[in-house]
Amino acid sequence: MAKFATLTQDQTRSIKLLGLPLVYALLLLAVPLGAIVLFSFWTQDFMTVDTTFTTANYREIYDSPIYGLLLQRSLMVSGIVTAVTVLLAYPVAYFISFHVHPSKKSIWLFLITIPFWTSYLIRVFLWKVILGYNGVINSGLLQLGIIDEPLTFILYNVNAVIITLAHAFAPFAILPIFVVLEKIDRSLLEASQDLGESKFSTFLRVTLPLSMPGVVGAVLIVFIPTIGDYVTPELMGGAGGKLIANMIQTQFLQLNNAPLGAALAIVAMLCVTAISLIFVFLNRKYLRGRT
Amino acid sequence: MTDLIKLRGVDKYYGDYHALRDINLTIRAGEFFSLLGPSGCGKTTLLRVIAGFEGVSGGTVMISDKDMADVPPNQRPTNMVFQSYAIFPHLSVGENVAFGLRKSGLNKADKASAVEEALSMVGLAGYGKRAAHALSGGQRQRVALARALILKPKVLLLDEPLSALDKKMREHMQVELIRLQRAVGITFILVTHDQEEALVMSDRIAVMFAGEIGQLDDPETLYRRPNSRRVAEFIGKMNFLPGRVTATGDTITLDIAGFGVTDVPAVQAPEGATLGEAAIGIRPETLAILFDGEKASRHEAAAVVDEVVYYGDMTYYDVRVNNVPEPLTIAMKNMIGRPVLDVGAQTRIAWDERAIVVF
Amino acid sequence: MKLRVYAIAYLIFLYAPIILLPIFAFNDATIIAFPLSGFTTEWFAELTQNRALHAAVQNSLIIAVCTAVFATILGLCAARAGAMSDFPGKKGITGFIMLPLVLPEIIVAVALLVILRQVLGLSLGNWTIIMAHVLICTPFSIAILNGAFGALDPSMEEAALDLGESRWSAFRLVTLPLVMPGIISSMLISFTISLDEFIIAFFLTGSNPTMPVYIWGLLRFPKSLPVIMALGTILVALSVILLTIAEIFRRRGVRRAGGTDTGGFL
């Protein structure tokens, strides 16, 4: 064997093993992603695709107010959903990590993940049943005499989309925060209290900063996929609650304008990525400032 | 004894990290050999090189005069007891022990009796049906031993086998391992960071530092004549005094700070010792406090007690001697009628030039 | 304890929609609204006679089984490589393979649609959905199997090698049985994800819809809603059963490999 062998046997085997999933991901992810980038610079000419390089699609997205409006609304909805989901999830993750007996933690996590694995479509539809004109909330409130007429602001608008998405992504937010909270050395908290901090200030000065990586993970894992959901806005959003994903879907499946759809998908991706990176960057800076 | 394992110029790199540096080592058939050193010194890597789990970057590994370069671990005449014991949790004790016999061609009955024999050898007769995951640490270790020894390897490799056990169990297993090694006559190579364990169990010990063998000797020589300060510091405690070599030859004349001039035989100094500055090493138990009326048989010096640490059977004193820069540690056995001195007490100490090691 | 009350309220929020399912599935009315009118099993009976639904379910089952097998094979490769030595670029490659976990599904869907239809000119069918589902299920499989391989003492396989087994037989006799619970858990999770996946399937489905795509079609007809409730009830019950089995196996896997449970699928 060479004196300075660059790779050990174990490393070679590891590379070979990773090769199969890598090739699969390259063929089914990298190549298709490259294809839509390429497509976004082409144009749809009735039934055929005109393959001359052009930025026409991007110009159209920039010029027509509808796309900007949808994108803005999408980012806002995703942002609100993320904030609501993570804020609601944090206390639950904290509760399970700090106040649930270790032997019962698994069962709590299991209970939280179960709804996530049950038919997404039907789950979204059920919110319609809950929030609808004759829905659970309205009929309940009517019977109790709290309202005289069914509430209409809870269905077929952005509010309904936000509630439904926040529900759908709940476990995604809880798990990353929980995992990080579990790793916090409990003696750190005792040390903080020993040094004169109250329980609450210990939380603010020790637990919260240490759990920030989990919060960041939760934010990203909720924020990014919600942009791509068209089911919830379609079912819950009504006319004023449509999002960018609906437009992408329409371009591809109904208007048969794949190049414009591809450009929209790429613009949406870039926005999400940019916002995520800014968020991660700000968070790093903020955390470094503290330490 | 014949030579069983020969390592010649073995080098091992992990990237830029030089884990083993030009190791030359011969291990004899039937001996209990230990690789001793601090963590990260390369002792486990060396063991894994012998087992075949790590390839070498240079040099050769020979077992029974056969080059092992292209021999995978499953075809080497070595078997290993892993630090974690690696008892297969999905198999019973008996199935664990019989694991290596799969391709042996033995029939079921022969296998069963071989397993039972191996188990009784390690004191676990009748445990064959038990579930492996229900065993205690000491029992797991015995299963690991039985599982390796049933294959009658030429060499049994033991990677820190006692480190996971508590102190009592460890001492008990040390004795058991010696007994077992004598009974089977197989070469044992033990990796340990515990100098006491190595001294108690081994025929010979190789002390390793930073990928090199610092010294290879039998336990007594290693303890009494360490060839370097780092070996002396790693094995037991040693006091170091500044001194000078003023004459060389069959006897070496030393001028030791605070102790004065004395002659020692050349074996107590490194080969080819030259005139000039030298470090003088003295073990704490070769010094003694002189209590009232006691006289030193060789030499004595005045001292002041600086620190007293009481250990029950022993008392360790740190004493200051005029012209010696650092306090000297002295280990005294506690005996009936012998008082424990207080800090600040004026006393005399005895020393013996035969216990001196020159570095 | 305030936090406990909050956590329980949160659980109720999570389960609110699901609890409604069986209520309306057995409700004797075509409108999905309160008050309830009476008990019936009519909607379940209707399910058994719906040919189109049966075909969709059959499609979905084929897709889900294939996805479970292929995603788990890819996951096994990646997780085993993950437990072995690092090499330069390994983190980047693993990160890339895990990417579909955070990628919006619509991006995966349109990218695959473009390459399959427009570039390669292939017709869509079950196999296109399988390919996409394998892509999005592999990261889950890797996450589960990483847990199983991570809890495995690396000395185990070395011990088998040391006792005379070859690399392959050491894997087969020692590693495979020890990670088997993880494999089963990974297959069940991938199966569940695939069975339920709509966003991608809607783009890539051929002439024969999958079950979620078929349900999507039904959602537009108010008349068919009670039937969907009945179907949903069965699906939820099935998911709960499968997930419970998956969880039991996952825990057993961690325990068998000698590790301690750190909880959760992710």
Side-chain angles (χ1 to χ4, degrees):
Chain A
M1 211 180 285
K3 188 157 188 170
F4 293 96
T6 44
L7 293 172
T8 64
Q9 272 186 318
D10 199 41
Q11 282 177 318
T12 323
R13 268 194 289 273
S14 163
I15 291 173
K16 277 186 198 155
L17 273 170
L18 211 49
L20 187 64
L22 175 65
V23 167
Y24 193 84
L26 281 176
L27 287 180
L28 276 106
L29 191 62
V31 172
L33 286 177
I36 56 165
V37 172
L38 201 60
F39 253 71
S40 72
F41 290 106
W42 294 345
T43 42
Q44 188 77 32
D45 186 12
F46 190 51
M47 288 306 283
T48 57
V49 173
D50 178 359
T51 57
T52 40
F53 180 89
T54 169
T55 54
N57 294 318
Y58 291 98
R59 255 182 287 125
E60 190 183 339
I61 293 170
Y62 185 78
D63 290 337
S64 314
I66 174 74
Y67 302 117
L69 180 78
L70 284 177
L71 193 59
Q72 213 181 338
R73 192 191 283 159
S74 267
L75 293 173
M76 186 198 70
V77 167
S78 288
I80 295 174
V81 167
T82 307
V84 168
T85 314
V86 173
L87 283 178
L88 288 179
Y90 194 102
V92 180
Y94 183 87
F95 169 73
I96 300 172
S97 179
F98 283 83
H99 293 289
V100 171
H101 190 267
S103 63
K104 297 224 174 89
K105 281 179 182 174
S106 295
I107 191 79
W108 268 90
L109 290 178
F110 186 56
L111 282 176
I112 280 166
T113 35
I114 277 192
F116 166 67
W117 298 108
T118 51
S119 181
Y120 180 60
L121 277 182
I122 291 178
R123 229 176 334 139
V124 173
F125 175 76
L126 286 165
W127 276 105
K128 219 163 144 174
V129 175
I130 295 176
L131 301 172
Y133 195 80
N134 296 320
V136 176
I137 289 185
N138 275 330
S139 44
L141 290 178
L142 275 174
Q143 269 185 350
L144 290 174
I146 296 174
I147 51 170
D148 300 325
E149 258 175 56
L151 306 171
T152 51
F153 66 89
I154 50 176
L155 188 63
Y156 298 129
N157 58 26
V158 175
N159 295 339
V161 176
I162 291 172
I163 294 176
T164 313
L165 283 175
H167 177 261
F169 281 86
F172 273 128
I174 292 178
L175 290 177
I177 300 173
F178 171 78
V179 168
V180 172
L181 286 175
E182 279 293 277
K183 284 188 191 145
I184 295 177
D185 182 352
R186 298 307 194 250
S187 62
L188 291 176
L189 311 183
E190 286 172 358
S192 167
Q193 288 185 30
D194 185 61
L195 294 169
E197 294 294 327
S198 71
K199 275 199 168 159
F200 185 65
S201 57
T202 293
F203 173 77
L204 287 183
R205 291 186 64 189
V206 183
T207 315
L208 190 60
L210 286 176
S211 64
M212 275 321 274
V215 173
V216 172
V219 164
L220 295 183
I221 213 166
V222 175
F223 182 71
I224 299 174
T226 46
I227 285 283
D229 184 39
Y230 59 84
V231 172
T232 303
E234 181 75 37
L235 287 178
M236 308 295 287
K242 293 286 196 298
L243 301 179
I244 193 74
N246 299 93
M247 183 51 89
I248 298 174
Q249 189 240 18
T250 309
Q251 292 295 342
F252 271 97
L253 298 184
Q254 273 140 47
L255 301 179
N256 193 25
N257 191 345
L260 184 58
L264 278 172
I266 285 166
V267 170
M269 260 316 279
L270 287 178
C271 287
V272 172
T273 312
I275 292 172
S276 304
L277 288 179
I278 291 170
F279 177 74
V280 171
F281 173 76
L282 284 180
N283 201 274
R284 281 228 180 113
K285 202 172 158 191
Y286 166 76
L287 277 183
R288 196 171 298 150
R290 289 188 70 105
T291 50
Chain B
M1 282 197 269
T2 52
D3 295 342
L4 181 66
I5 297 178
K6 284 186 215 150
L7 304 177
R8 293 290 171 264
V10 168
D11 270 297
K12 175 75 189 173
Y13 289 89
Y14 292 108
D16 292 336
Y17 180 65
H18 203 165
L20 294 176
R21 297 161 187 262
D22 190 26
I23 300 285
N24 289 288
L25 181 63
T26 302
I27 296 170
R28 302 168 193 144
E31 76 175 327
F32 200 127
F33 191 91
S34 289
L35 296 167
L36 172 67
S39 59
C41 71
K43 56 191 190 297
T44 296
T45 306
L46 187 55
L47 194 77
R48 291 170 60 82
V49 162
I50 295 171
F53 291 123
E54 306 281 352
V56 293
S57 309
T60 54
V61 177
M62 313 263 282
I63 301 180
S64 306
D65 292 320
K66 189 170 177 286
D67 190 344
M68 290 286 129
D70 298 318
V71 183
N74 48 5
Q75 282 158 32
R76 293 196 183 193
T78 60
N79 282 114
M80 183 125 146
V81 173
F82 291 83
Q83 187 169 12
S84 64
Y85 309 142
I87 301 299
F88 305 126
H90 58 305
L91 303 178
S92 71
V93 168
E95 286 167 332
N96 261 283
V97 175
F99 193 90
L101 296 178
R102 194 169 71 98
K103 291 174 186 159
S104 63
L106 293 179
N107 64 31
K108 230 177 170 188
D110 287 347
K111 270 188 199 172
S113 68
V115 166
E116 201 46 44
E117 193 190 333
L119 279 174
S120 59
M121 188 165 63
V122 296
L124 286 180
Y127 275 66
K129 289 270 183 332
R130 298 241 187 141
H133 57 78
L135 297 177
S136 71
Q139 288 170 332
R140 277 161 185 269
Q141 198 202 19
R142 287 159 196 262
V143 175
L145 277 168
R147 185 176 73 179
L149 288 172
I150 198 171
L151 300 175
K152 305 201 165 53
K154 286 182 177 154
V155 189
L156 184 73
L157 307 170
L158 302 115
D159 184 7
E160 304 254 8
L162 306 176
S163 62
L165 304 177
D166 63 47
K167 193 167 183 286
K168 274 247 166 73
M169 193 66 197
R170 197 157 58 224
E171 284 166 1
H172 177 72
M173 283 309 293
Q174 285 176 3
V175 180
E176 287 240 333
L177 276 176
I178 299 170
R179 182 190 63 76
L180 196 63
Q181 197 259 342
R182 299 220 171 110
V184 295
I186 290 172
T187 307
F188 277 32
I189 304 180
L190 172 82
V191 160
T192 179
H193 64 269
D194 183 340
Q195 41 109 1
E196 192 183 299
E197 190 172 298
L199 291 175
V200 168
M201 298 171 76
S202 321
D203 294 320
R204 289 194 304 152
I205 301 170
V207 188
M208 293 183 68
F209 297 100
E212 289 173 314
I213 293 179
Q215 186 170 0
L216 196 171
D217 263 311
D218 63 276
E220 195 184 343
T221 312
L222 204 60
Y223 189 80
R224 289 184 52 193
R225 302 257 184 274
N227 66 3
S228 66
R229 279 188 70 153
R230 58 182 186 180
V231 172
E233 280 169 339
F234 189 72
I235 296 176
K237 288 197 180 82
M238 191 167 264
N239 295 300
F240 292 100
L241 297 83
R244 291 180 60 77
V245 176
T246 56
T248 56
D250 286 348
T251 59
I252 287 179
T253 308
L254 298 170
D255 184 359
I256 306 169
F259 282 22
V261 177
T262 186
D263 286 347
V264 298
V267 289
Q268 286 174 233
E271 265 180 63
T274 52
L275 299 179
E277 306 249 322
I280 309 300
I282 306 177
R283 295 262 184 217
E285 69 277 10
T286 65
L287 295 170
I289 301 271
L290 292 171
F291 292 93
D292 286 342
E294 290 178 341
K295 291 200 75 165
S297 57
R298 309 291 282 201
H299 316 281
E300 58 177 77
V304 180
V305 175
D306 202 40
E307 186 83 68
V308 180
V309 183
Y310 182 76
Y311 271 90
D313 58 339
M314 304 284 285
T315 303
Y316 278 76
Y317 294 96
D318 281 357
V319 302
R320 290 201 171 272
V321 175
N322 269 344
N323 298 325
V324 179
E326 296 290 319
L328 299 175
T329 302
I330 301 177
M332 293 296 289
K333 203 154 177 43
N334 289 327
M335 298 201 293
I336 296 166
R338 178 180 278 180
V340 174
L341 298 180
D342 293 324
V343 172
Q346 301 276 341
T347 184
R348 290 168 303 124
I349 62 167
W351 63 279
D352 192 324
E353 85 283 355
R354 290 170 300 181
I356 279 173
V357 187
V358 182
F359 296 104
Chain C
M1 193 75 212
K2 276 181 228 155
L3 263 179
R4 174 176 290 273
V5 172
Y6 174 76
I8 290 170
Y10 193 88
L11 271 188
I12 293 171
F13 165 67
L14 282 184
Y15 279 86
I18 294 166
I19 290 165
L20 293 176
L21 265 180
I23 295 178
F24 288 111
F26 291 108
N27 185 31
D28 186 14
T30 46
I31 344 162
I32 305 297
F34 285 109
L36 301 174
S37 59
F39 181 85
T40 178
T41 53
E42 180 193 340
W43 314 122
F44 287 91
E46 218 169 283
L47 275 182
T48 58
Q49 284 147 17
N50 188 332
R51 284 269 171 80
L53 175 67
H54 293 177
V57 168
Q58 201 182 342
N59 266 346
S60 276
L61 286 177
I62 292 169
I63 292 169
V65 168
C66 293
T67 300
V69 171
F70 293 131
T72 302
I73 290 172
L74 292 181
L76 260 178
C77 290
R80 185 157 158 79
M84 295 165 102
S85 306
D86 284 348
F87 55 84
K90 182 175 171 183
K91 265 200 166 163
I93 293 174
T94 315
F96 176 65
I97 297 170
M98 298 295 274
L99 192 61
L101 203 59
V102 289
L103 216 52
E105 284 184 329
I106 195 168
I107 301 287
V108 177
V110 299
L112 281 167
L113 183 72
V114 162
I115 196 100
L116 293 170
R117 285 307 307 269
Q118 315 256 11
V119 178
L120 300 174
L122 302 169
S123 59
L124 300 172
N126 284 352
W127 67 277
T128 51
I129 302 174
I130 293 172
M131 278 174 21
H133 281 182
V134 169
L135 189 70
I136 58 162
C137 288
T138 302
F140 285 93
S141 169
I142 294 174
I144 294 164
L145 290 170
N146 268 345
F149 276 100
L152 197 66
D153 178 359
S155 308
M156 289 292 173
E157 211 170 298
E158 284 185 350
L161 282 180
D162 187 64
L163 295 168
E165 297 297 341
S166 69
R167 224 155 232 300
W168 165 244
S169 61
F171 178 77
R172 186 171 59 84
L173 292 172
V174 174
T175 309
L176 206 57
L178 290 176
V179 298
M180 189 48 85
I183 291 174
I184 292 173
S185 166
S186 154
M187 298 227 281
L188 289 174
I189 294 286
S190 302
F191 179 87
T192 314
I193 293 175
S194 170
L195 198 65
D196 186 36
E197 203 288 325
F198 170 73
I199 290 178
I200 295 175
F202 189 55
F203 273 80
L204 298 180
T205 202
S207 47
N208 305 314
T210 65
M211 185 179 61
V213 174
Y214 180 76
I215 293 175
W216 175 258
L218 286 187
L219 286 179
R220 265 179 261 161
F221 304 105
K223 230 181 69 183
S224 56
L225 293 181
V227 180
I228 295 181
M229 292 290 158
L231 179 61
T233 306
I234 294 172
L235 286 178
V236 167
L238 192 73
S239 292
V240 170
I241 291 167
L242 284 182
L243 289 167
T244 309
I245 297 171
E247 172 69 5
I248 289 168
F249 272 100
R250 192 191 60 80
R251 280 200 216 171
R252 187 182 292 173
V254 173
R255 212 174 40 237
R256 195 191 269 192
T260 45
D261 195 2
T262 46
F265 292 118
L266 291 175

